Amino acid sequence: MHGPAPSGWLLMVLCGATGAYCLLRAHNGSERERGSARAEALMGFGMAAMAVPAALLTFPDWIWVVYAVVFGAASLHALVYARRGGHHLHHLVGSLAMVYMAWAMAPGAASGAGGGHAGHGGGTAGGVPVLTGVLLVYYAFYVLHSAGRLAPAPTPVGLPAGGVTAAPAWLARPELALGCRLTMGMAMFAMLLTL
């Protein structure tokens, strides 16, 4: 990522914590929920590693190929399940966005698309402006939609404020999972802005 160091540190910590929470969630729920949590953990850890400030660690040039291969495989996996719709389509877009950012951050890879750069942490902007713009619009709408879903629903008439069932375990709280998705959506938006 090519932004200022404080934002890199913040993104690294937020995405790493989100990835860790998603990894913990991968042990609970249905098979579909566990698969979604594993995909989100991979995305969180991948984004955390991509956001590491260059002052802390300078990656070798070949790391971007590894990113492209890992998230290319994740894209293929998401594509297989995308027929089911919903969140699998979002995982597909996210994995493809990671492949795109790895390509854009690779030294010299984006030179045909408006000038290459020095890799992790410096240089000129890379990537294809139109594709970056489309991804920015997608993530802006995703973040706004997710934030709207976090608003508390009104309590139905006749039910106590807490509902009639006991609260689920903290790992199974749907609002925490949605909060993690919101965090990763905002982080992806921020990372795309700095390309």
Side-chain angles (χ1 to χ4, degrees), residues 2 115-126 194-195:
H2 307 290
H117 49 79
H120 186 76
T124 61
T194 62
L195 270 184

Side-chain angles (χ1 to χ4, degrees), residues 1 4-20 41 43-57 59 67 120 183-184 186-188 190-191:
M1 200 182 80
S7 63
W9 284 103
L10 180 61
L11 284 173
M12 183 185 74
V13 170
L14 283 173
C15 292
T18 299
M43 184 67 68
F45 289 134
M47 290 171 63
M50 194 175 274
V52 171
L56 178 65
L57 177 67
F59 289 118
Y67 264 97
H120 186 76
T183 299
M184 286 193 290
M186 289 186 299
M188 185 68 83
M191 292 172 81

